[in-house]
Each structure stands twice: as C-alpha cells, then as structure tokens.
C-alpha cells in the first residue's frame, strides 16, 4: 500500500511539473522606440502578445527592474516577456 501511494505521488508531481512547463513564459519580438528612465517606462513596437491576448502594436510598458531598463536602447531589436503586474503592463524579462 505504501509503495502504491509513493508511485501515485510521484506521478502527480510529474504531471504538475509538465503542466507548469507548458505555461512557461513566451518571449515576444519587438523594437524599442523610446526609453524613459525617469518614469521607468519603455515604448516598444511589438508582435502579438499571446499571453495578454493583444495584437501587434506600439505601446508603453512599465519596467520595475532598473537593471533591465539599463539594457534597453532606442532602436534595439529585443525579445521580451510582458505581464500584468498590479494591473499595469510590465516588461519582466528581456533577451
């Protein structure tokens, strides 16, 4: 009985980790139009933001991490992750 419970627990854990992997952040391609370091904002012309159900457009995002903001330069082609953080569209990752 104990061995069966362990097998079930391991199977449940594997299923949960596989499901989590399916929801991994998806990077979106874009071009930085403007960086406003004082306001911690960046304007990006981007492709469809599938995780936010938004079509391609140019829009302003918040950037909470100052180190991330320093990496953004006007005219740069980037890949980024945007999420709703406290109700605000925010760039959370850039590569």
């Amino acid at each position: 009985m104990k061995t069966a419970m362990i097998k079930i627990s391991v199977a449940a854990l594997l299923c949960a980790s596989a499901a989590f992997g399916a929801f991994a952040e998806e990077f979106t391609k874009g071009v930085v139009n403007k960086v406003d370091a004082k306001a911690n904002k960046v304007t990006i012309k981007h492709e469809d933001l599938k995780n936010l159900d938004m079509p391609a457009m140019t829009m302003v995002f918040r950037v909470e991490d100052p180190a991330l903001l320093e990496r953004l330069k006007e005219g740069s082609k980037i890949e980024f992750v945007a999420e709703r953080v406290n109700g605000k569209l925010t760039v959370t990752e850039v590569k």
Side-chain angles (χ1 to χ4, degrees):
M1 178 76 175
K2 190 174 183 180
T3 304
M5 291 299 288
I6 291 172
K7 287 180 182 179
I8 291 171
S9 297
V10 169
L13 183 62
L14 289 173
C15 288
S17 64
F20 179 75
F23 293 109
E25 297 300 330
E26 184 173 329
F27 283 84
T28 302
K29 293 180 181 178
V31 176
V32 177
N33 283 2
K34 181 179 177 184
V35 177
D36 185 347
K38 291 180 184 175
N40 291 331
K41 294 183 180 181
V42 61
T43 304
I44 302 173
K45 180 177 180 181
H46 61 80
E47 295 180 348
D48 292 351
L49 291 169
K50 295 175 185 173
N51 65 317
L52 297 173
D53 196 27
M54 290 186 165
M57 66 177 86
T58 300
M59 60 189 299
V60 178
F61 296 89
R62 292 178 50 128
V63 180
E64 291 185 346
D65 182 358
L68 195 65
L69 193 62
E70 290 174 11
R71 294 175 36 205
L72 301 173
K73 305 291 180 215
E74 291 181 18
S76 296
K77 292 181 181 181
I78 61 170
E79 291 186 36
F80 69 102
V81 175
E83 301 177 55
R84 288 194 191 277
V85 177
N86 298 322
K88 306 283 186 183
L89 294 175
T90 306
V91 173
T92 57
E93 294 183 60
V94 175
K95 66 176 183 178

Coordinates of all heavy atoms in Angstrom, one line a residue:
M1 N 0.8 -1.2 0.0 CA 0.0 0.0 0.0 C 0.9 1.3 0.0 O 0.6 2.2 -0.7 CB -0.9 0.0 1.2 CG -1.8 1.2 1.4 SD -3.2 1.1 0.3 CE -4.1 2.5 0.7
K2 N 1.9 1.3 0.8 CA 2.8 2.4 0.9 C 3.5 2.7 -0.4 O 3.6 3.8 -0.9 CB 3.8 2.2 2.0 CG 4.6 3.5 2.3 CD 5.5 3.2 3.5 CE 6.2 4.5 3.9 NZ 7.1 4.3 5.1
T3 N 3.9 1.6 -1.1 CA 4.6 1.8 -2.4 C 3.6 2.3 -3.4 O 4.0 3.2 -4.3 CB 5.1 0.4 -2.9 OG1 6.0 -0.2 -1.9 CG2 5.9 0.5 -4.2
A4 N 2.4 1.9 -3.4 CA 1.4 2.4 -4.4 C 1.2 3.9 -4.1 O 1.1 4.7 -5.1 CB 0.1 1.7 -4.2
M5 N 1.2 4.4 -2.9 CA 1.0 5.8 -2.6 C 2.2 6.6 -3.1 O 2.0 7.7 -3.6 CB 0.8 6.0 -1.1 CG -0.5 5.5 -0.5 SD -1.9 6.3 -1.3 CE -1.8 7.9 -0.5
I6 N 3.4 6.1 -2.9 CA 4.6 6.8 -3.4 C 4.5 6.9 -4.9 O 4.8 8.0 -5.5 CB 5.8 6.0 -3.0 CG1 6.0 6.2 -1.4 CG2 7.1 6.6 -3.7 CD1 7.1 5.3 -0.9
K7 N 4.1 5.8 -5.6 CA 4.0 5.9 -7.1 C 3.0 6.9 -7.5 O 3.2 7.7 -8.5 CB 3.7 4.5 -7.6 CG 4.8 3.5 -7.6 CD 4.4 2.2 -8.2 CE 5.5 1.2 -8.0 NZ 5.1 -0.1 -8.6
I8 N 1.9 7.0 -6.8 CA 0.8 8.0 -7.2 C 1.3 9.4 -6.9 O 1.1 10.3 -7.8 CB -0.5 7.7 -6.4 CG1 -1.1 6.4 -6.9 CG2 -1.5 8.8 -6.5 CD1 -2.3 5.9 -6.0
S9 N 2.0 9.6 -5.8 CA 2.6 10.9 -5.5 C 3.6 11.3 -6.6 O 3.6 12.5 -7.0 CB 3.2 10.9 -4.1 OG 2.3 10.6 -3.1
V10 N 4.5 10.4 -7.0 CA 5.5 10.7 -8.0 C 4.8 11.1 -9.3 O 5.1 12.0 -10.0 CB 6.5 9.6 -8.1 CG1 7.4 9.8 -9.4 CG2 7.3 9.5 -6.9
A11 N 3.8 10.3 -9.7 CA 3.1 10.5 -10.9 C 2.4 11.9 -10.9 O 2.4 12.7 -11.9 CB 2.0 9.4 -11.2
A12 N 1.8 12.2 -9.8 CA 1.1 13.5 -9.6 C 2.1 14.7 -9.7 O 1.8 15.7 -10.4 CB 0.3 13.6 -8.3
L13 N 3.2 14.5 -9.1 CA 4.3 15.5 -9.2 C 4.8 15.7 -10.6 O 5.0 16.9 -11.1 CB 5.5 15.1 -8.3 CG 6.6 16.1 -8.2 CD1 6.1 17.5 -7.6 CD2 7.7 15.6 -7.3
L14 N 5.0 14.6 -11.3 CA 5.5 14.7 -12.7 C 4.4 15.4 -13.6 O 4.7 16.3 -14.4 CB 5.8 13.3 -13.3 CG 7.0 12.7 -12.7 CD1 7.2 11.3 -13.2 CD2 8.3 13.5 -13.1
C15 N 3.1 15.1 -13.4 CA 2.1 15.8 -14.2 C 2.0 17.3 -13.9 O 1.9 18.1 -14.8 CB 0.7 15.2 -13.9 SG 0.5 13.5 -14.5
A16 N 2.2 17.6 -12.6 CA 2.1 19.1 -12.2 C 3.3 19.8 -12.8 O 3.2 20.9 -13.3 CB 2.2 19.2 -10.7
S17 N 4.5 19.2 -12.8 CA 5.7 19.9 -13.4 C 5.5 20.0 -14.9 O 6.0 21.0 -15.5 CB 7.0 19.2 -13.0 OG 7.0 17.9 -13.5
A18 N 5.0 19.0 -15.6 CA 4.7 19.1 -17.0 C 3.8 20.2 -17.4 O 3.9 21.0 -18.3 CB 4.3 17.8 -17.6
A19 N 2.7 20.3 -16.6 CA 1.7 21.4 -16.8 C 2.4 22.7 -16.6 O 2.1 23.7 -17.3 CB 0.5 21.2 -15.9
F20 N 3.2 22.9 -15.6 CA 3.8 24.2 -15.3 C 4.7 24.5 -16.5 O 4.8 25.7 -16.9 CB 4.7 24.1 -14.0 CG 5.4 25.4 -13.7 CD1 4.7 26.5 -13.2 CD2 6.7 25.5 -13.9 CE1 5.4 27.7 -12.9 CE2 7.4 26.7 -13.6 CZ 6.7 27.8 -13.2
G21 N 5.5 23.6 -17.0 CA 6.3 23.8 -18.2 C 5.6 24.3 -19.4 O 6.1 25.1 -20.2
A22 N 4.3 23.8 -19.5 CA 3.5 24.3 -20.7 C 3.2 25.7 -20.6 O 2.9 26.4 -21.6 CB 2.3 23.4 -20.8
F23 N 3.2 26.3 -19.4 CA 2.8 27.7 -19.2 C 4.1 28.6 -19.0 O 4.0 29.7 -18.5 CB 1.9 27.9 -18.0 CG 0.6 27.2 -18.2 CD1 0.2 26.1 -17.5 CD2 -0.3 27.8 -19.0 CE1 -1.0 25.5 -17.7 CE2 -1.6 27.2 -19.2 CZ -1.9 26.1 -18.6
A24 N 5.2 28.1 -19.5 CA 6.5 28.9 -19.4 C 6.3 30.2 -20.2 O 5.6 30.2 -21.1 CB 7.6 28.1 -19.9
E25 N 7.0 31.2 -19.7 CA 6.8 32.5 -20.4 C 7.2 32.4 -21.8 O 8.2 31.8 -22.2 CB 7.7 33.5 -19.6 CG 7.2 33.7 -18.2 CD 5.8 34.2 -18.1 OE1 5.3 34.9 -18.9 OE2 5.2 33.9 -17.0
E26 N 6.5 33.1 -22.7 CA 6.8 33.1 -24.1 C 7.3 34.5 -24.4 O 6.7 35.5 -24.1 CB 5.5 32.9 -24.9 CG 5.7 32.8 -26.3 CD 4.5 32.4 -27.1 OE1 3.7 31.6 -26.6 OE2 4.3 32.8 -28.3
F27 N 8.5 34.5 -25.1 CA 9.1 35.8 -25.5 C 8.4 36.3 -26.8 O 8.0 35.5 -27.6 CB 10.6 35.6 -25.7 CG 11.4 35.5 -24.4 CD1 11.5 34.3 -23.7 CD2 12.0 36.7 -23.9 CE1 12.2 34.3 -22.5 CE2 12.7 36.6 -22.7 CZ 12.8 35.4 -22.0
T28 N 8.3 37.6 -26.8 CA 7.7 38.3 -28.0 C 8.8 39.2 -28.6 O 9.5 39.9 -27.9 CB 6.5 39.2 -27.5 OG1 5.5 38.3 -26.9 CG2 5.9 39.9 -28.7
K29 N 8.8 39.3 -29.9 CA 9.8 40.1 -30.6 C 9.3 41.6 -30.7 O 8.1 41.8 -30.8 CB 10.0 39.6 -32.0 CG 10.8 38.3 -32.0 CD 11.0 37.9 -33.5 CE 11.7 36.5 -33.4 NZ 11.9 36.0 -34.8
G30 N 10.2 42.5 -30.5 CA 9.8 43.9 -30.6 C 11.0 44.8 -30.9 O 12.1 44.3 -30.9
V31 N 10.7 46.1 -31.1 CA 11.8 47.1 -31.3 C 11.5 48.2 -30.3 O 10.4 48.7 -30.2 CB 11.7 47.7 -32.7 CG1 12.8 48.8 -32.9 CG2 12.0 46.6 -33.8
V32 N 12.6 48.6 -29.6 CA 12.5 49.7 -28.6 C 12.4 51.0 -29.3 O 13.3 51.4 -30.1 CB 13.7 49.7 -27.6 CG1 13.6 50.8 -26.7 CG2 13.8 48.4 -26.9
N33 N 11.3 51.8 -29.1 CA 11.1 53.1 -29.7 C 11.6 54.2 -28.8 O 12.2 55.2 -29.3 CB 9.6 53.4 -30.0 CG 9.2 52.6 -31.3 OD1 9.9 51.9 -31.9 ND2 7.9 52.8 -31.6
K34 N 11.4 54.0 -27.5 CA 11.8 55.1 -26.6 C 12.0 54.5 -25.2 O 11.3 53.6 -24.8 CB 10.6 56.1 -26.5 CG 10.9 57.3 -25.5 CD 9.7 58.3 -25.5 CE 10.0 59.4 -24.5 NZ 8.8 60.3 -24.4
V35 N 13.0 55.0 -24.5 CA 13.3 54.6 -23.1 C 13.1 55.9 -22.2 O 13.8 56.9 -22.5 CB 14.7 54.1 -23.0 CG1 15.0 53.7 -21.5 CG2 14.9 52.8 -23.9
D36 N 12.3 55.8 -21.2 CA 12.1 56.9 -20.3 C 12.5 56.4 -18.9 O 11.7 55.9 -18.1 CB 10.6 57.3 -20.2 CG 10.3 58.5 -19.4 OD1 11.2 58.9 -18.6 OD2 9.2 59.1 -19.4
A37 N 13.8 56.6 -18.6 CA 14.4 56.0 -17.4 C 13.8 56.7 -16.1 O 13.7 56.0 -15.1 CB 15.9 56.2 -17.4
K38 N 13.5 58.0 -16.2 CA 13.0 58.7 -15.1 C 11.6 58.1 -14.6 O 11.3 58.1 -13.5 CB 12.8 60.2 -15.4 CG 14.1 60.9 -15.5 CD 13.9 62.4 -15.8 CE 15.3 63.0 -16.0 NZ 15.1 64.5 -16.4
A39 N 10.8 57.7 -15.6 CA 9.5 57.2 -15.3 C 9.4 55.7 -15.3 O 8.4 55.1 -15.0 CB 8.5 57.7 -16.4
N40 N 10.6 55.0 -15.5 CA 10.7 53.6 -15.5 C 9.7 53.0 -16.6 O 9.0 52.0 -16.3 CB 10.4 52.9 -14.2 CG 11.5 53.3 -13.2 OD1 12.7 53.4 -13.6 ND2 11.2 53.3 -11.9
K41 N 9.8 53.6 -17.8 CA 8.9 53.1 -18.9 C 9.7 52.9 -20.1 O 10.7 53.6 -20.4 CB 7.7 54.1 -19.1 CG 6.8 54.1 -17.9 CD 5.6 55.1 -18.1 CE 4.7 55.1 -16.9 NZ 3.6 56.0 -17.1
V42 N 9.2 52.1 -21.0 CA 9.7 51.8 -22.3 C 8.6 51.7 -23.3 O 7.6 51.1 -23.0 CB 10.7 50.6 -22.3 CG1 9.9 49.3 -22.0 CG2 11.4 50.4 -23.6
T43 N 8.8 52.3 -24.5 CA 7.8 52.2 -25.6 C 8.4 51.2 -26.6 O 9.5 51.3 -27.0 CB 7.6 53.5 -26.3 OG1 7.2 54.5 -25.3 CG2 6.5 53.4 -27.4
I44 N 7.6 50.1 -26.9 CA 8.0 49.0 -27.7 C 7.0 48.8 -28.8 O 5.8 48.7 -28.6 CB 8.2 47.7 -26.9 CG1 9.2 47.9 -25.8 CG2 8.6 46.6 -27.8 CD1 9.3 46.7 -24.8
K45 N 7.5 48.7 -30.1 CA 6.6 48.2 -31.2 C 6.8 46.7 -31.2 O 7.9 46.2 -31.4 CB 7.1 48.8 -32.5 CG 6.3 48.4 -33.7 CD 6.8 49.1 -35.0 CE 5.9 48.6 -36.1 NZ 6.4 49.3 -37.4
H46 N 5.7 46.0 -30.9 CA 5.8 44.5 -30.7 C 4.9 43.7 -31.6 O 3.9 44.2 -32.1 CB 5.6 44.2 -29.2 CG 4.2 44.6 -28.8 ND1 3.1 43.9 -29.1 CD2 3.8 45.7 -28.1 CE1 2.0 44.4 -28.5 NE2 2.4 45.6 -28.0
E47 N 5.2 42.4 -31.7 CA 4.4 41.5 -32.3 C 3.2 41.1 -31.4 O 3.1 41.7 -30.3 CB 5.1 40.2 -32.7 CG 6.2 40.4 -33.7 CD 7.0 39.2 -34.0 OE1 6.9 38.1 -33.3 OE2 7.8 39.2 -35.0
D48 N 2.3 40.2 -31.8 CA 1.2 39.8 -30.9 C 1.7 39.4 -29.6 O 2.7 38.6 -29.5 CB 0.4 38.6 -31.5 CG -0.3 39.0 -32.8 OD1 -0.4 40.2 -33.1 OD2 -0.8 38.1 -33.5
L49 N 1.1 39.9 -28.5 CA 1.4 39.4 -27.1 C 0.3 38.3 -26.8 O -0.8 38.6 -26.3 CB 1.3 40.6 -26.1 CG 2.4 41.6 -26.3 CD1 2.1 42.8 -25.4 CD2 3.7 41.0 -25.8
K50 N 0.7 37.1 -27.1 CA -0.3 36.0 -27.0 C -0.8 35.8 -25.6 O -1.9 35.6 -25.3 CB 0.3 34.7 -27.6 CG 0.6 34.8 -29.0 CD 1.3 33.6 -29.6 CE 1.6 33.8 -31.1 NZ 2.4 32.8 -31.6
N51 N 0.2 35.9 -24.6 CA -0.2 35.7 -23.2 C -1.2 36.8 -22.7 O -1.9 36.6 -21.7 CB 1.0 35.6 -22.3 CG 1.8 36.9 -22.2 OD1 2.0 37.5 -23.2 ND2 2.3 37.2 -21.0
L52 N -1.2 37.9 -23.3 CA -2.1 39.0 -22.9 C -3.2 39.2 -23.9 O -4.0 40.1 -23.7 CB -1.3 40.4 -22.8 CG -0.2 40.3 -21.7 CD1 0.6 41.6 -21.8 CD2 -0.8 40.2 -20.3
D53 N -3.3 38.4 -24.9 CA -4.3 38.4 -25.9 C -4.4 39.8 -26.6 O -5.5 40.4 -26.7 CB -5.7 38.0 -25.3 CG -6.7 37.7 -26.4 OD1 -6.3 37.3 -27.5 OD2 -7.9 37.9 -26.1
M54 N -3.2 40.3 -27.0 CA -3.1 41.7 -27.6 C -2.5 41.5 -29.0 O -1.5 40.8 -29.2 CB -2.3 42.6 -26.8 CG -2.9 43.0 -25.5 SD -1.8 44.3 -24.7 CE -2.9 44.9 -23.5
P55 N -3.1 42.3 -30.0 CA -2.5 42.3 -31.3 C -1.2 43.1 -31.3 O -0.8 43.8 -30.4 CB -3.5 42.9 -32.2 CG -4.2 43.9 -31.2 CD -4.2 43.1 -29.9
A56 N -0.5 43.0 -32.4 CA 0.8 43.7 -32.6 C 0.4 45.2 -32.6 O -0.6 45.6 -33.2 CB 1.4 43.3 -34.0
M57 N 1.3 46.0 -31.9 CA 1.1 47.5 -31.9 C 2.3 48.1 -31.2 O 3.2 47.4 -30.8 CB -0.2 47.8 -31.1 CG -0.1 47.4 -29.6 SD -1.6 47.9 -28.7 CE -2.6 46.5 -28.9
T58 N 2.2 49.4 -31.1 CA 3.3 50.1 -30.3 C 2.6 50.6 -29.0 O 1.6 51.2 -29.1 CB 3.8 51.3 -31.1 OG1 4.3 50.8 -32.4 CG2 4.9 52.1 -30.4
M59 N 3.3 50.3 -27.9 CA 2.7 50.7 -26.6 C 3.8 50.9 -25.6 O 4.9 50.5 -25.7 CB 1.7 49.7 -26.1 CG 2.2 48.3 -25.9 SD 0.9 47.1 -25.6 CE 0.2 47.7 -24.1
V60 N 3.4 51.6 -24.5 CA 4.3 51.9 -23.4 C 4.1 50.8 -22.3 O 3.0 50.4 -21.9 CB 3.9 53.3 -22.8 CG1 4.8 53.5 -21.6 CG2 4.1 54.3 -23.8
F61 N 5.2 50.3 -21.8 CA 5.3 49.3 -20.7 C 6.0 49.9 -19.5 O 7.0 50.7 -19.7 CB 6.0 48.0 -21.1 CG 5.3 47.3 -22.2 CD1 5.6 47.6 -23.6 CD2 4.4 46.3 -22.0 CE1 5.0 46.9 -24.6 CE2 3.8 45.6 -23.0 CZ 4.1 45.9 -24.3
R62 N 5.7 49.5 -18.3 CA 6.5 49.8 -17.1 C 7.6 48.8 -17.1 O 7.6 47.7 -17.6 CB 5.6 49.6 -15.9 CG 4.5 50.6 -15.7 CD 3.8 50.3 -14.5 NE 4.7 50.2 -13.4 CZ 4.6 50.8 -12.2 NH1 3.6 51.6 -12.0 NH2 5.5 50.6 -11.3
V63 N 8.7 49.2 -16.4 CA 9.9 48.3 -16.2 C 10.2 48.5 -14.7 O 10.7 49.6 -14.4 CB 11.1 48.7 -17.1 CG1 12.2 47.7 -16.8 CG2 10.7 48.6 -18.6
E64 N 10.0 47.5 -13.9 CA 10.3 47.7 -12.5 C 11.7 47.5 -12.1 O 12.2 48.0 -11.1 CB 9.4 46.7 -11.7 CG 7.9 47.1 -11.7 CD 7.1 46.2 -10.9 OE1 7.5 45.1 -10.4 OE2 5.9 46.6 -10.6
D65 N 12.5 46.7 -12.9 CA 13.8 46.3 -12.6 C 14.8 47.4 -13.3 O 14.9 47.3 -14.5 CB 14.1 44.9 -13.1 CG 15.6 44.5 -12.8 OD1 16.3 45.3 -12.2 OD2 15.9 43.3 -13.1
P66 N 15.5 48.2 -12.5 CA 16.3 49.2 -13.1 C 17.5 48.6 -14.0 O 17.8 49.2 -15.0 CB 16.9 49.9 -11.9 CG 16.0 49.7 -10.8 CD 15.4 48.3 -11.1
A67 N 17.9 47.4 -13.6 CA 19.0 46.8 -14.4 C 18.5 46.4 -15.8 O 19.2 46.5 -16.8 CB 19.5 45.5 -13.6
L68 N 17.2 46.0 -15.8 CA 16.6 45.6 -17.1 C 16.4 46.9 -18.0 O 16.7 46.9 -19.2 CB 15.2 45.0 -16.8 CG 14.5 44.3 -17.9 CD1 15.3 43.0 -18.3 CD2 13.1 43.9 -17.5
L69 N 16.0 48.0 -17.4 CA 15.8 49.2 -18.1 C 17.1 49.7 -18.7 O 17.1 50.2 -19.8 CB 15.3 50.3 -17.1 CG 14.7 51.6 -17.7 CD1 13.5 51.3 -18.6 CD2 14.3 52.5 -16.6
E70 N 18.3 49.5 -18.0 CA 19.6 50.0 -18.5 C 20.0 49.2 -19.8 O 20.7 49.7 -20.6 CB 20.6 49.8 -17.4 CG 20.5 50.7 -16.3 CD 21.5 50.4 -15.1 OE1 22.4 49.6 -15.3 OE2 21.3 51.0 -14.0
R71 N 19.5 48.0 -19.9 CA 19.8 47.2 -21.1 C 19.0 47.6 -22.3 O 19.3 47.1 -23.4 CB 19.6 45.7 -20.8 CG 20.5 45.2 -19.7 CD 20.2 43.8 -19.3 NE 19.8 42.9 -20.4 CZ 19.0 41.8 -20.2 NH1 18.6 41.5 -19.0 NH2 18.7 41.0 -21.2
L72 N 18.0 48.4 -22.2 CA 17.1 48.8 -23.3 C 17.6 50.1 -24.0 O 17.8 51.1 -23.3 CB 15.7 49.0 -22.9 CG 15.1 47.7 -22.2 CD1 13.7 48.1 -21.6 CD2 14.9 46.6 -23.2
K73 N 17.8 50.0 -25.3 CA 18.3 51.2 -26.1 C 17.4 51.4 -27.2 O 16.9 50.5 -27.9 CB 19.7 50.9 -26.6 CG 20.8 50.5 -25.6 CD 21.1 51.6 -24.6 CE 22.1 51.2 -23.6 NZ 22.0 51.8 -22.3
E74 N 17.1 52.7 -27.5 CA 16.2 53.0 -28.6 C 16.8 52.4 -29.9 O 18.0 52.5 -30.2 CB 16.1 54.6 -28.7 CG 15.4 55.2 -27.6 CD 15.2 56.7 -27.7 OE1 15.4 57.2 -28.8 OE2 14.9 57.3 -26.6
G75 N 15.9 51.8 -30.7 CA 16.2 51.2 -31.9 C 16.6 49.8 -31.8 O 16.8 49.1 -32.8
S76 N 16.8 49.2 -30.6 CA 17.3 47.9 -30.4 C 16.1 46.9 -30.7 O 15.0 47.1 -30.3 CB 17.7 47.6 -29.0 OG 18.8 48.4 -28.7
K77 N 16.5 45.8 -31.4 CA 15.5 44.7 -31.5 C 15.7 43.8 -30.3 O 16.8 43.4 -29.9 CB 15.9 43.9 -32.8 CG 15.6 44.7 -34.1 CD 15.9 43.8 -35.3 CE 15.6 44.6 -36.5 NZ 15.9 43.9 -37.8
I78 N 14.6 43.5 -29.7 CA 14.6 42.7 -28.5 C 13.6 41.6 -28.5 O 12.7 41.5 -29.4 CB 14.3 43.5 -27.2 CG1 12.9 44.2 -27.3 CG2 15.4 44.6 -27.0 CD1 12.4 44.8 -26.0
E79 N 13.7 40.6 -27.6 CA 12.7 39.6 -27.3 C 12.4 39.8 -25.8 O 13.3 39.9 -25.0 CB 13.2 38.2 -27.6 CG 13.3 38.0 -29.1 CD 13.7 36.5 -29.4 OE1 13.2 35.6 -28.7 OE2 14.5 36.3 -30.3
F80 N 11.1 39.9 -25.5 CA 10.7 40.3 -24.1 C 9.5 39.5 -23.7 O 8.7 39.0 -24.5 CB 10.5 41.8 -24.0 CG 9.3 42.3 -24.7 CD1 8.1 42.6 -24.0 CD2 9.3 42.5 -26.1 CE1 7.0 43.1 -24.7 CE2 8.2 42.9 -26.8 CZ 7.0 43.2 -26.0
V81 N 9.3 39.5 -22.3 CA 8.1 39.0 -21.7 C 7.4 40.1 -21.1 O 8.0 40.9 -20.3 CB 8.4 37.9 -20.7 CG1 7.1 37.4 -20.0 CG2 9.1 36.7 -21.3
A82 N 6.1 40.3 -21.3 CA 5.3 41.3 -20.7 C 4.2 40.6 -19.9 O 3.6 39.7 -20.4 CB 4.7 42.3 -21.7
E83 N 3.9 41.1 -18.7 CA 2.8 40.6 -17.9 C 2.1 41.7 -17.2 O 2.6 42.8 -17.2 CB 3.5 39.7 -16.8 CG 4.3 38.5 -17.3 CD 4.9 37.8 -16.2 OE1 4.1 37.3 -15.3 OE2 6.1 37.6 -16.2
R84 N 0.9 41.4 -16.7 CA 0.2 42.4 -15.9 C 0.7 42.2 -14.4 O 0.6 41.2 -13.8 CB -1.3 42.1 -15.9 CG -1.9 42.5 -17.2 CD -3.5 42.5 -17.1 NE -4.0 42.6 -18.4 CZ -4.2 43.7 -19.1 NH1 -3.8 44.9 -18.6 NH2 -4.7 43.7 -20.3
V85 N 1.3 43.3 -13.9 CA 1.8 43.3 -12.6 C 1.1 44.5 -11.8 O 1.2 45.6 -12.2 CB 3.4 43.6 -12.5 CG1 3.9 43.7 -11.1 CG2 4.1 42.5 -13.3
N86 N 0.3 44.1 -10.8 CA -0.5 45.0 -10.1 C -1.4 45.9 -11.1 O -1.5 47.1 -10.9 CB 0.3 46.0 -9.2 CG 1.1 45.2 -8.2 OD1 0.6 44.2 -7.6 ND2 2.3 45.6 -7.9
G87 N -1.9 45.2 -12.1 CA -2.8 45.8 -13.1 C -2.1 46.6 -14.2 O -2.8 47.2 -15.0
K88 N -0.8 46.7 -14.1 CA 0.0 47.5 -15.1 C 0.8 46.6 -16.1 O 1.4 45.6 -15.6 CB 1.0 48.4 -14.4 CG 0.4 49.3 -13.4 CD -0.3 50.5 -14.0 CE -0.8 51.4 -12.9 NZ -1.5 52.5 -13.4
L89 N 0.8 46.9 -17.3 CA 1.6 46.1 -18.3 C 3.0 46.4 -18.0 O 3.5 47.5 -18.1 CB 1.2 46.5 -19.7 CG -0.3 46.1 -20.1 CD1 -0.6 46.6 -21.5 CD2 -0.4 44.6 -20.0
T90 N 3.8 45.3 -17.8 CA 5.1 45.4 -17.3 C 6.0 44.5 -18.0 O 5.7 43.3 -18.2 CB 5.2 45.2 -15.8 OG1 4.3 46.0 -15.1 CG2 6.6 45.4 -15.2
V91 N 7.2 45.0 -18.5 CA 8.2 44.1 -19.1 C 9.0 43.4 -17.9 O 9.5 44.1 -17.0 CB 9.2 44.9 -20.0 CG1 10.4 44.0 -20.4 CG2 8.5 45.5 -21.2
T92 N 8.9 42.1 -17.9 CA 9.6 41.4 -16.8 C 10.9 40.7 -17.2 O 11.6 40.3 -16.3 CB 8.6 40.3 -16.2 OG1 8.2 39.4 -17.2 CG2 7.4 41.0 -15.6
E93 N 11.1 40.4 -18.5 CA 12.3 39.7 -18.9 C 12.6 40.3 -20.3 O 11.8 40.6 -21.1 CB 12.1 38.2 -19.0 CG 11.9 37.5 -17.7 CD 11.8 36.0 -17.9 OE1 12.7 35.4 -18.5 OE2 10.7 35.5 -17.6
V94 N 13.9 40.3 -20.6 CA 14.4 40.7 -21.9 C 15.6 39.9 -22.3 O 16.4 39.6 -21.4 CB 14.9 42.2 -21.9 CG1 15.5 42.6 -23.3 CG2 13.7 43.1 -21.6
K95 N 15.7 39.4 -23.5 CA 16.9 38.7 -24.0 C 17.3 39.3 -25.3 O 16.6 40.0 -26.0 CB 16.7 37.2 -24.1 CG 15.7 36.7 -25.1 CD 15.7 35.2 -25.0 CE 14.7 34.6 -26.1 NZ 14.7 33.2 -26.1

